[in-house]
Amino acid sequence: MSSGSFPYIPVDARGWRLAMGLRPLEIERWLEVDAHRDEELALKADLLATRPEVVVATRPEGDAASAELYDEVLDWFARYAPDLAPGTKETSEHPVVAAARLVQEDLCVLVRSDAWRLQAACVCFPSRWTLATKIGRTMDQIHEPIPGYAESLSGPTTGVFDRLKPERPFWRLNWTVIDDPSLHQPHAPRQLSPDDIDQWFFRVERQTIRRLALSDAIVFTIHNYVAAVNDLRDTPEFLEHLLLGIEGAPTDMQEYKGWVGVAHSLREALS
Ligand code: HEM
C-alpha cells in the first residue's frame, strides 16, 4: 500500500512479523530517484565534508568490490537515468564514497571471508546505529542488538547471501516509528514519547541486496523514506495497521525500538 507521495507503507492487517521478506528486484529499480534527490545529495555532501569519520568506514578488503560498485552505479545511471549520469568517472575519492555521492541510498559492501563481513560503507542516514562499531563485523555481530535476529534470521540470511546470484537481486522493507524526522541519526535508539503523536515519524527503509559479478561481494543499499504519522493518518487503515504492527511486537523488540507504551496511546487515539 502507498499513499500520496509516500511510496511504501509496509504495515498491514497481518500485524507484526520478524521476517526477511525478500522480493525479486528488477535491476531498473535497484536505485530510486525522487523529489528529495537534490536536498539529500546536498546533505550527504555536507556530512562527507564535516563528519567523514562518522559516515564513512573502509577496510582494504572492501576496496576491489567498492571499485566494482562505483562502476555499477555509473552503469545504472547510463542505462536507466541518463539525464542524471555524471559527466566524468574520474575521482580521487574512495569508490564507495564516490558512488554514494551520486545516489540517495546509503551503500554497504560485504565480502565473504570466514563469514560475510562489512568491509566498506558510506552511511549518511543511519537509523540509530553507529557505522564505526559495525565495520569489519560479521552479519551476526552487526545484528547483535536485534532481539530475535540470532534465532530467526541469522541462518536464513546467511543462506540467501551464500546463494545470491548477480542476475537475481532482491529487495525488502523495514519500518519503525521514531521521534525525529532527521535522516542522519548516528546514535543509540531512544524511547518515543507515547503521548505525543504529533512528534511521531514513520520511517521506512527500502533495502536491496545484490551480488557483484567480478568481486563476488554483496552490495546492500538502504533508501530512507520519512513522513509524520499525522500526515499519513488519512491513508485508509494506516493507524489501525500501525497499531497491529506495534502491539504485536514482542516486549524485547518494543524496548529495542523505543515503542514502550506507544500501542496503548495509539489505541486511545483510535477509540
Ligand atoms: C537481507 C538481510 C537482512 C535482514 C533480514 C536484516 C534484518 C534486520 C532487522 C530485522 C533489523 C532491526 C531493525 C528494526 O526493525 O528497527 C536490522 C537492523 C540493522 N541491520 Fe539488518 N538485515 C539484513 C541485512 C543487513 C546488512 C547487509 C547490513 C549491513 C550493514 C545490515 C545492517 C543493519 C544494522 C546496522 C542494523 C541496526 C543495528 C543496531 O541497532 O545496532 N543489515 N536488520
Side-chain angles (χ1 to χ4, degrees):
M1 181 172 34
S2 72
S3 166
S5 61
F6 199 75
Y8 302 106
I9 303 193
V11 288
D12 61 32
R14 290 175 293 172
W16 169 262
R17 60 201 177 279
L18 185 65
M20 290 188 75
L22 293 182
R23 311 172 207 196
L25 173 70
E26 298 291 331
I27 201 68
E28 297 94 301
R29 305 281 320 275
W30 179 38
L31 306 168
E32 289 195 329
V33 175
D34 71 7
H36 299 285
R37 176 179 161 89
D38 291 349
E39 172 201 339
E40 290 179 10
L41 295 196
L43 181 53
K44 277 193 176 193
D46 184 53
L47 289 163
L48 284 163
T50 57
R51 315 193 73 192
E53 71 295 346
V54 177
V55 299
V56 179
T58 62
R59 308 215 323 184
E61 292 89 331
D63 285 356
S66 298
E68 186 179 4
L69 167 61
Y70 182 46
D71 286 342
E72 287 294 331
V73 168
L74 294 172
D75 188 56
W76 187 89
F77 277 107
R79 277 172 203 263
Y80 304 115
D83 297 352
L84 301 174
T88 170
K89 175 184 169 10
E90 296 313 312
T91 176
S92 54
E93 290 189 299
H94 192 283
V96 79
V97 177
R101 274 186 196 283
L102 301 174
V103 299
Q104 289 169 258
E105 284 76 10
D106 285 323
L107 301 177
C108 298
V109 173
L110 294 103
V111 179
R112 171 116 220 179
S113 48
D114 56 327
W116 287 100
R117 288 178 181 270
L118 181 64
Q119 299 292 22
C122 180
V123 178
C124 290
F125 306 143
S127 188
R128 305 188 170 193
W129 56 278
T130 309
L131 178 57
T133 66
K134 309 290 188 186
I135 191 72
R137 305 283 168 167
T138 66
M139 285 285 284
D140 284 355
Q141 290 167 337
I142 290 169
H143 290 95
E144 193 269 327
I146 319 297
Y149 182 92
E151 300 79 8
S152 320
L153 292 178
S154 168
T157 302
T158 306
V160 166
F161 277 31
D162 284 347
R163 291 191 301 273
L164 194 62
K165 303 252 181 309
E167 63 281 10
R168 286 209 65 205
F170 290 94
W171 68 290
R172 67 185 295 271
L173 296 169
N174 225 40
W175 62 273
T176 194
V177 181
I178 50 180
D179 61 3
D180 180 351
S182 312
L183 288 172
H184 179 67
Q185 298 195 40
H187 53 74
R190 64 168 179 251
Q191 172 64 39
L192 195 61
S193 169
D195 299 323
D196 207 358
I197 194 165
D198 292 344
Q199 290 305 314
W200 293 3
F201 298 90
F202 189 61
R203 178 165 173 147
V204 174
E205 295 187 354
R206 176 187 185 268
Q207 306 173 342
T208 74
I209 51 170
R210 188 179 163 188
R211 186 73 159 251
L212 295 177
L214 303 178
S215 60
D216 227 20
I218 288 176
V219 175
F220 180 64
T221 72
I222 312 156
H223 191 137
N224 280 278
Y225 296 91
V226 184
V229 167
N230 274 336
D231 290 344
L232 297 174
R233 284 183 91 128
D234 294 337
T235 305
E237 302 194 297
F238 170 66
L239 287 186
E240 288 82 356
H241 291 162
L242 187 62
L243 172 61
L244 291 175
I246 290 177
E247 75 179 354
T251 308
D252 52 2
M253 181 56 84
Q254 295 202 17
E255 283 164 2
Y256 165 72
K257 296 264 208 176
W259 291 346
V260 177
V262 167
H264 180 73
S265 36
L266 199 48
R267 190 169 279 289
E268 289 196 338
L270 275 166
S271 62

